[in-house]
Amino acid sequence: MKIIHTSDWHIGKIVNEFSILEDQKYILDELIKLVDKERPDVLIIAGDMYDRSIPPVDGVELLNNILSKLVMEKGIKVLAISGNHDSGERVCFASNILEKQGLYIVGRDEELYRKIEIDDEYGKVNFYLIPYKDPSVIKKLLDNSEIRNHNDAMKAVVENINKNIDKSDRNILVAHGYVTMYREEAKESSEDKYEAANLEVSESERPLSIGGTDLIDCNIFNDFDYVALGHLHGRQKIGREEVRYSGSLLKYSFSEVNQKKGVTIFDIDKDKNVTLDLRELKPIRDLRIIKGNIDELIEIGRSVVDGREDYIQAILLDEGELINPIEKLRAVYPNVMLITREKKREHDENSTSAKKGYKNKSEKDLFEEFYNALSDGEFTEEKSKIIDETINKILKEEV
């Protein structure tokens, strides 16, 4: 059976005040082209179909059109779960009717998981769809006071699945969250919990809880032949090759500029052997970071043909005040999203305090200390002369 694993479509997302619905339509059309070429039996969406619980009308229309093409025109079975950005009840609207056409969306409040059986020439493949839920919801549904965090919740749901699972069958699980092989190490670490958990995270992913309590132990899924994960936007494996995040279809923050975006295609044969193919999808516009003095960036931008319409973060190296820098850059890069200034040195919280011995230092020495503590530029000879003139002028006025 050939399966395409996708996740985190985030339809309707706004990135730095830019609507990227046109970009999402383009990349989903590219996904349709890939489906035409590969002819999979199943397509998985591992959560976060929408970017918010009440999606925009044009976002709903886009998802409706894509799912209609996949299911009605292409004859592909689509299996989807709600993610932390979705409203489970809303995305499950009319699900009983849609299942007859081959569209399975799982996310209702009272639904811990659902088992879907799909047959191929060798028999059935079991798909266990676990929609995202807050641990407090699962605690109430199972009446289990021992559930305190996401790991406890997922463990309890999988234990329910394992009561009736046939391990001789081919079993695939779909889930949404932070899954790691290093949960215990991350809990004990004083560093960033996700870094300690060896997860590649990005700024556009929403934390599910605080203090690392959203981390889930990957060993919970040892009885499954493939685990299709959603939530993390960078594609990556967790432990073994068959437990992985497909990543998002598009870049949704500048922390993702180096990530390759696309889908995971995998085949599972009659003996449970899984063959993987990581396929990249090219967007209509990329997210890029450019860096330099504003005049240099403008000059480079005038000669750019490919990538002129990309979404840009410009890191400026200029010192001093700049007049309307974003308008100047947008004359050559129309989709500049962000402008920042490069920080050449870190400033601690005591940077504004004068150092020891300040009573014996001149006004110029004190200003130079202050400048070097808080400015990212160099205290050049030209600046030194300006300060001399300013101090002399002030002292004359005081006299």
Side-chain angles (χ1 to χ4, degrees):
M1 182 177 288
K2 180 182 283 191
I3 301 162
I4 294 182
H5 168 198
T6 76
S7 74
D8 295 270
W9 291 12
H10 287 281
I11 291 176
K13 188 171 184 65
I14 305 295
V15 180
N16 296 308
E17 301 182 4
F18 279 65
S19 170
I20 58 168
L21 197 68
E22 180 186 355
D23 305 77
Q24 293 176 323
K25 182 181 185 304
Y26 178 88
I27 208 68
L28 288 170
D29 285 340
E30 292 298 295
L31 177 61
I32 294 292
K33 292 176 185 177
L34 181 64
V35 165
D36 287 336
K37 181 179 179 181
E38 295 295 328
R39 301 306 305 166
D41 302 288
V42 174
L43 184 138
I44 292 170
I45 311 173
D48 286 350
M49 289 170 279
Y50 292 121
D51 189 59
R52 49 188 184 272
S53 58
I54 303 178
V57 173
D58 47 4
V60 174
E61 183 179 354
L62 175 57
L63 182 62
N64 178 62
N65 290 340
I66 293 299
L67 294 179
S68 295
K69 285 181 182 178
L70 289 168
V71 175
M72 305 297 290
E73 296 179 20
K74 312 298 179 183
I76 310 298
K77 298 283 193 298
V78 175
L79 310 182
I81 61 171
S82 58
N84 60 297
H85 283 256
D86 300 310
S87 164
E89 290 295 322
R90 285 189 175 90
V91 297
C92 288
F93 175 75
S95 59
N96 292 337
I97 298 172
L98 297 173
E99 284 178 12
K100 295 178 181 179
Q101 304 297 327
L103 174 60
Y104 302 85
I105 301 178
V106 180
R108 292 193 185 283
D109 290 345
E110 73 281 357
E111 197 166 24
L112 283 174
Y113 74 90
R114 192 185 311 173
K115 176 184 176 183
I116 308 295
E117 296 180 9
I118 298 177
D119 293 325
D120 64 6
E121 63 267 34
Y122 304 115
K124 66 179 179 179
V125 178
N126 301 317
F127 294 84
Y128 293 91
L129 310 185
I130 304 178
Y132 172 81
K133 282 183 173 57
D134 188 88
S136 61
V137 175
I138 296 175
K139 178 180 181 177
K140 183 177 180 181
L141 287 172
L142 291 176
D143 192 23
N144 183 345
S145 60
E146 299 299 313
I147 294 176
R148 298 183 179 89
N149 52 49
H150 285 266
N151 189 69
D152 295 341
M154 184 62 73
K155 185 177 180 181
V157 174
V158 172
E159 284 175 351
N160 269 266
I161 292 173
N162 285 339
K163 289 177 183 178
N164 299 305
I165 196 172
D166 186 342
K167 295 182 182 179
S168 65
D169 286 342
R170 293 169 289 171
N171 297 304
I172 294 171
L173 182 136
V174 183
H176 192 90
Y178 291 102
V179 177
T180 176
M181 291 294 294
Y182 304 97
R183 181 175 180 270
E184 293 303 316
E185 292 87 339
K187 283 171 58 183
E188 301 299 324
S189 175
S190 59
E191 302 175 3
D192 178 271
K193 299 298 181 184
Y194 303 125
E195 184 177 338
N198 199 30
L199 296 176
E200 181 185 355
V201 299
S202 66
E203 295 171 358
S204 55
E205 296 147 1
R206 183 184 299 169
L208 305 177
S209 64
I210 60 173
T213 59
D214 48 4
L215 295 174
I216 296 169
D217 183 2
C218 184
N219 292 303
I220 292 172
F221 308 124
N222 285 343
D223 291 329
F224 297 90
D225 303 303
Y226 185 91
V227 181
L229 297 172
H231 188 57
L232 297 187
H233 292 180
R235 66 186 188 189
Q236 55 201 288
K237 70 174 183 178
I238 307 298
R240 56 190 171 105
E241 291 288 342
E242 297 81 17
V243 182
R244 60 175 52 249
Y245 291 91
S246 66
S248 57
L249 296 179
L250 288 170
K251 299 173 183 178
Y252 290 128
S253 72
F254 287 103
S255 63
E256 301 174 37
V257 291
N258 295 320
Q259 294 180 356
K260 293 182 178 179
K261 299 298 185 178
V263 303
T264 300
I265 304 175
F266 68 97
D267 281 282
I268 183 165
D269 67 17
K270 62 179 180 178
D271 298 316
K272 300 188 174 187
N273 297 312
V274 174
T275 305
L276 294 167
D277 182 7
L278 306 182
R279 200 67 62 85
E280 193 171 351
L281 295 176
K282 295 291 186 182
I284 188 172
R285 301 177 189 89
D286 201 358
L287 257 74
R288 292 193 292 118
I289 297 176
I290 59 176
K291 183 176 178 180
N293 293 321
I294 188 167
D295 291 337
E296 295 170 355
L297 295 179
I298 290 171
E299 187 63 31
I300 293 169
R302 286 178 179 141
S303 61
V304 168
V305 178
D306 295 332
R308 178 181 287 273
E309 299 291 324
D310 287 349
Y311 297 115
I312 299 292
Q313 177 185 3
I315 301 175
L316 301 183
L317 304 183
D318 304 81
E319 294 181 30
E321 185 180 359
L322 295 172
I323 300 173
N324 294 327
I326 196 162
E327 270 121 24
K328 291 178 180 177
L329 284 170
R330 281 179 178 167
V332 288
Y333 304 99
N335 292 316
V336 172
M337 285 183 164
L338 287 176
I339 289 182
T340 58
R341 304 292 281 266
E342 184 182 47
K343 286 191 175 181
K344 297 179 182 176
R345 54 174 75 96
E346 293 298 322
H347 311 306
D348 63 38
E349 59 186 12
N350 296 316
S351 293
T352 57
S353 300
K355 294 181 179 178
K356 189 175 181 180
Y358 69 92
K359 291 183 179 180
N360 298 320
K361 293 178 182 178
S362 68
E363 291 86 349
K364 181 179 176 181
D365 291 336
L366 290 170
F367 180 84
E368 186 173 350
E369 277 187 6
F370 177 80
Y371 184 91
N372 288 331
L374 293 181
S375 172
D376 291 320
E378 300 298 326
F379 193 72
T380 62
E381 187 65 28
E382 181 183 1
K383 294 173 184 175
S384 177
K385 289 179 181 178
I386 293 172
I387 292 304
D388 282 336
E389 293 171 1
T390 303
I391 291 174
N392 288 332
K393 182 179 178 182
I394 292 172
L395 291 176
K396 286 179 181 179
E397 289 175 354
E398 287 181 351
V399 171

